[in-house]
Amino acid sequence: MTSSRSPELADQPGLFHFGVAAWGRLIALCSALLFEGMSLSGINVQTADIGNALHLAPDTLQLVASAFLTSYAGFLLLGGRWTDAFGARRIFLWGVTVFGLGSLGAALAQNAVEIISARCVQGIGSALTAPAAVALIVHAFPEGRPRSRALGVFGAMGAVGFSLGLVMSGLLTEVFNWRWVFATYVPLTAVVVLAVALLIGPAPRSAIRAGWPPAVLGTAGLLLTVYEVGRIGTAPAIELVVVIAAGIVLLAAFLRLQARSAHPLLPLRILLDRRMLLASVGLGGMFAAIGGAMFVVGTELQQAGGHTAFDVGLSFLPQGITVSIISLFSGRLMNKLTPSVTVVASLTALAAGMVLYTQVLTGAYLAVFLPACVLVGTSIAAMYPAALTLAGNSATAQEQGTASGLLITAQQAGGALGVAAATGAQTLAGSVSAAMWTTTAIAALALIGCAALAVRHPGRSVAPPPP
């Protein structure tokens, strides 16, 4: 694929030849994934305290975790389109600011509606920020080793956020309370806004415009579906059928609008590209399994096991550390394996880790929990750059924001549905084991689906024709 280099980093010869200023720019862009990683992991050690403080039922508590993922997924496509239309730098700044406002709202929340709404605002901010950051990085580095290395740094920053979120959230929750976790994001976002405004200049944009109503429609459909899946086992059957059907109808209406739109948020040409399908199924299935497992284990360790939030954060920490370490070498891995093979290999490691996860609540930490964290962390580190490369190769240079938005939509929607499915399975069967085996089954299905796609598309990605 022919990739035009952005004015921000175009004068830089390669990742490891960057000077201090260029590294500052790259780190500022990667802060998008840092915040995402912190939000994804940190909530798993906060939920028990949030539920106790605000008197939330289990089905409502799972929505506190999945509201961020749902709004993130629902608005990512709009974020991708706006990235292409209004310029990546501008959308990045908007997104970080919105995330900070949502964090402030969560820190001040007094009831379920306020905390869930604030988490949705956080998700919308991340949905604007993430595709803008990826688009800037993809435009900055040519296809091949420089881009793989840059995306490896991007993935590593997410891993740092994942690890930091576990420890910081656990420590602040135990020493102060869960509100301090959200409050900490407010000054962090202010620093990032200032850094990007000073270090990165205006970015190119396209003439395409996209409105927000379809994004609201898609988000509402996904939110209804996720909420009701999490109520399986507690809600009346008629409610389950009606609400889930309503969610599916809204999602179908969203897809219909996209099919008929001259400038859709979700171009079917990109969506149906085999490279995008492989990346989306892989990343979405991975985070459905991981999101559900971490939510159930984190909550159960505190509510039934008597562990503190900090204890839980430290227990999961090796998973984030593994992601951080392996991410440093993931770019080299893709130079030896095709992205398709890397996706299948990462899901194989995930499936093995999820089998171990089914035993973490009863098994010894060193024999079960630690190996599970290492396997899952390895799978995440290998998956990210492979999926991002496949997604980037499925779109033209002018559509990188849209492609990255679609990929991360699959990730966050998968995570939200995984949390809901695990919660519903636990409530229906009255067993934590049922929830854990449900997440393991999700990982196995993702592996089977990606293996089938990879067999039909085994070679290296072929770039689409230039626009």
Side-chain angles (χ1 to χ4, degrees), residues 375-390:
L375 282 169
V376 171
T378 300
S379 69
I380 295 173
M383 173 66 77
Y384 257 118
L388 287 169
T389 298
L390 286 168

PDB file of all heavy atoms in Angstrom, residues 375-390:
ATOM      1  N   LEU A 375       0.381 -16.539  29.475  1.00  0.00           N
ATOM      2  CA  LEU A 375      -0.148 -16.960  28.179  1.00  0.00           C
ATOM      3  C   LEU A 375      -1.080 -15.906  27.582  1.00  0.00           C
ATOM      4  O   LEU A 375      -0.988 -15.576  26.391  1.00  0.00           O
ATOM      5  CB  LEU A 375      -0.892 -18.292  28.329  1.00  0.00           C
ATOM      6  CG  LEU A 375      -0.021 -19.540  28.426  1.00  0.00           C
ATOM      7  CD1 LEU A 375      -0.863 -20.749  28.832  1.00  0.00           C
ATOM      8  CD2 LEU A 375       0.678 -19.812  27.099  1.00  0.00           C
ATOM      9  N   VAL A 376      -1.968 -15.371  28.401  1.00  0.00           N
ATOM     10  CA  VAL A 376      -2.909 -14.363  27.914  1.00  0.00           C
ATOM     11  C   VAL A 376      -2.158 -13.085  27.526  1.00  0.00           C
ATOM     12  O   VAL A 376      -2.438 -12.470  26.484  1.00  0.00           O
ATOM     13  CB  VAL A 376      -3.988 -14.067  28.970  1.00  0.00           C
ATOM     14  CG1 VAL A 376      -4.838 -12.867  28.551  1.00  0.00           C
ATOM     15  CG2 VAL A 376      -4.881 -15.292  29.168  1.00  0.00           C
ATOM     16  N   GLY A 377      -1.184 -12.679  28.332  1.00  0.00           N
ATOM     17  CA  GLY A 377      -0.400 -11.502  28.007  1.00  0.00           C
ATOM     18  C   GLY A 377       0.379 -11.659  26.714  1.00  0.00           C
ATOM     19  O   GLY A 377       0.464 -10.728  25.900  1.00  0.00           O
ATOM     20  N   THR A 378       0.929 -12.834  26.491  1.00  0.00           N
ATOM     21  CA  THR A 378       1.651 -13.105  25.250  1.00  0.00           C
ATOM     22  C   THR A 378       0.718 -13.015  24.047  1.00  0.00           C
ATOM     23  O   THR A 378       1.082 -12.466  23.002  1.00  0.00           O
ATOM     24  CB  THR A 378       2.295 -14.501  25.298  1.00  0.00           C
ATOM     25  OG1 THR A 378       3.223 -14.562  26.390  1.00  0.00           O
ATOM     26  CG2 THR A 378       3.035 -14.817  24.000  1.00  0.00           C
ATOM     27  N   SER A 379      -0.476 -13.534  24.200  1.00  0.00           N
ATOM     28  CA  SER A 379      -1.433 -13.509  23.088  1.00  0.00           C
ATOM     29  C   SER A 379      -1.841 -12.084  22.734  1.00  0.00           C
ATOM     30  O   SER A 379      -1.961 -11.739  21.553  1.00  0.00           O
ATOM     31  CB  SER A 379      -2.670 -14.352  23.443  1.00  0.00           C
ATOM     32  OG  SER A 379      -3.441 -13.748  24.466  1.00  0.00           O
ATOM     33  N   ILE A 380      -2.035 -11.235  23.730  1.00  0.00           N
ATOM     34  CA  ILE A 380      -2.407  -9.844  23.469  1.00  0.00           C
ATOM     35  C   ILE A 380      -1.282  -9.124  22.724  1.00  0.00           C
ATOM     36  O   ILE A 380      -1.508  -8.420  21.734  1.00  0.00           O
ATOM     37  CB  ILE A 380      -2.714  -9.105  24.783  1.00  0.00           C
ATOM     38  CG1 ILE A 380      -3.946  -9.700  25.470  1.00  0.00           C
ATOM     39  CG2 ILE A 380      -2.939  -7.615  24.531  1.00  0.00           C
ATOM     40  CD1 ILE A 380      -4.210  -9.137  26.855  1.00  0.00           C
ATOM     41  N   ALA A 381      -0.046  -9.306  23.196  1.00  0.00           N
ATOM     42  CA  ALA A 381       1.094  -8.614  22.593  1.00  0.00           C
ATOM     43  C   ALA A 381       1.296  -9.020  21.143  1.00  0.00           C
ATOM     44  O   ALA A 381       1.655  -8.194  20.294  1.00  0.00           O
ATOM     45  CB  ALA A 381       2.363  -8.901  23.405  1.00  0.00           C
ATOM     46  N   ALA A 382       1.081 -10.296  20.837  1.00  0.00           N
ATOM     47  CA  ALA A 382       1.254 -10.769  19.461  1.00  0.00           C
ATOM     48  C   ALA A 382       0.099 -10.323  18.570  1.00  0.00           C
ATOM     49  O   ALA A 382       0.294 -10.031  17.387  1.00  0.00           O
ATOM     50  CB  ALA A 382       1.374 -12.294  19.449  1.00  0.00           C
ATOM     51  N   MET A 383      -1.095 -10.252  19.119  1.00  0.00           N
ATOM     52  CA  MET A 383      -2.289  -9.943  18.336  1.00  0.00           C
ATOM     53  C   MET A 383      -2.320  -8.494  17.863  1.00  0.00           C
ATOM     54  O   MET A 383      -2.643  -8.221  16.695  1.00  0.00           O
ATOM     55  CB  MET A 383      -3.545 -10.240  19.160  1.00  0.00           C
ATOM     56  CG  MET A 383      -4.857  -9.795  18.510  1.00  0.00           C
ATOM     57  SD  MET A 383      -5.269 -10.699  17.008  1.00  0.00           S
ATOM     58  CE  MET A 383      -5.860 -12.236  17.728  1.00  0.00           C
ATOM     59  N   TYR A 384      -1.989  -7.548  18.736  1.00  0.00           N
ATOM     60  CA  TYR A 384      -2.193  -6.130  18.420  1.00  0.00           C
ATOM     61  C   TYR A 384      -1.523  -5.693  17.117  1.00  0.00           C
ATOM     62  O   TYR A 384      -2.196  -5.198  16.208  1.00  0.00           O
ATOM     63  CB  TYR A 384      -1.712  -5.253  19.572  1.00  0.00           C
ATOM     64  CG  TYR A 384      -2.834  -4.700  20.413  1.00  0.00           C
ATOM     65  CD1 TYR A 384      -2.948  -5.026  21.756  1.00  0.00           C
ATOM     66  CD2 TYR A 384      -3.781  -3.847  19.864  1.00  0.00           C
ATOM     67  CE1 TYR A 384      -3.977  -4.526  22.536  1.00  0.00           C
ATOM     68  CE2 TYR A 384      -4.814  -3.337  20.638  1.00  0.00           C
ATOM     69  CZ  TYR A 384      -4.907  -3.679  21.965  1.00  0.00           C
ATOM     70  OH  TYR A 384      -5.920  -3.180  22.731  1.00  0.00           O
ATOM     71  N   PRO A 385      -0.202  -5.823  16.975  1.00  0.00           N
ATOM     72  CA  PRO A 385       0.412  -5.325  15.734  1.00  0.00           C
ATOM     73  C   PRO A 385      -0.024  -6.100  14.506  1.00  0.00           C
ATOM     74  O   PRO A 385      -0.125  -5.533  13.418  1.00  0.00           O
ATOM     75  CB  PRO A 385       1.915  -5.469  16.000  1.00  0.00           C
ATOM     76  CG  PRO A 385       2.019  -6.486  17.080  1.00  0.00           C
ATOM     77  CD  PRO A 385       0.796  -6.326  17.920  1.00  0.00           C
ATOM     78  N   ALA A 386      -0.296  -7.411  14.657  1.00  0.00           N
ATOM     79  CA  ALA A 386      -0.752  -8.208  13.513  1.00  0.00           C
ATOM     80  C   ALA A 386      -2.112  -7.729  13.039  1.00  0.00           C
ATOM     81  O   ALA A 386      -2.348  -7.541  11.835  1.00  0.00           O
ATOM     82  CB  ALA A 386      -0.806  -9.691  13.892  1.00  0.00           C
ATOM     83  N   ALA A 387      -3.035  -7.516  13.979  1.00  0.00           N
ATOM     84  CA  ALA A 387      -4.377  -7.061  13.620  1.00  0.00           C
ATOM     85  C   ALA A 387      -4.339  -5.651  13.033  1.00  0.00           C
ATOM     86  O   ALA A 387      -5.028  -5.354  12.050  1.00  0.00           O
ATOM     87  CB  ALA A 387      -5.288  -7.097  14.848  1.00  0.00           C
ATOM     88  N   LEU A 388      -3.539  -4.772  13.624  1.00  0.00           N
ATOM     89  CA  LEU A 388      -3.439  -3.409  13.111  1.00  0.00           C
ATOM     90  C   LEU A 388      -2.839  -3.382  11.708  1.00  0.00           C
ATOM     91  O   LEU A 388      -3.244  -2.585  10.861  1.00  0.00           O
ATOM     92  CB  LEU A 388      -2.588  -2.561  14.058  1.00  0.00           C
ATOM     93  CG  LEU A 388      -3.248  -2.166  15.383  1.00  0.00           C
ATOM     94  CD1 LEU A 388      -2.220  -1.576  16.340  1.00  0.00           C
ATOM     95  CD2 LEU A 388      -4.383  -1.176  15.162  1.00  0.00           C
ATOM     96  N   THR A 389      -1.872  -4.262  11.455  1.00  0.00           N
ATOM     97  CA  THR A 389      -1.277  -4.337  10.119  1.00  0.00           C
ATOM     98  C   THR A 389      -2.291  -4.821   9.096  1.00  0.00           C
ATOM     99  O   THR A 389      -2.415  -4.265   7.995  1.00  0.00           O
ATOM    100  CB  THR A 389      -0.054  -5.270  10.130  1.00  0.00           C
ATOM    101  OG1 THR A 389       0.932  -4.731  11.023  1.00  0.00           O
ATOM    102  CG2 THR A 389       0.547  -5.398   8.738  1.00  0.00           C
ATOM    103  N   LEU A 390      -3.041  -5.875   9.432  1.00  0.00           N
ATOM    104  CA  LEU A 390      -4.070  -6.383   8.522  1.00  0.00           C
ATOM    105  C   LEU A 390      -5.121  -5.313   8.236  1.00  0.00           C
ATOM    106  O   LEU A 390      -5.535  -5.121   7.082  1.00  0.00           O
ATOM    107  CB  LEU A 390      -4.739  -7.620   9.129  1.00  0.00           C
ATOM    108  CG  LEU A 390      -3.919  -8.910   9.132  1.00  0.00           C
ATOM    109  CD1 LEU A 390      -4.575  -9.955  10.019  1.00  0.00           C
ATOM    110  CD2 LEU A 390      -3.753  -9.450   7.709  1.00  0.00           C
TER     111      LEU A 390
END
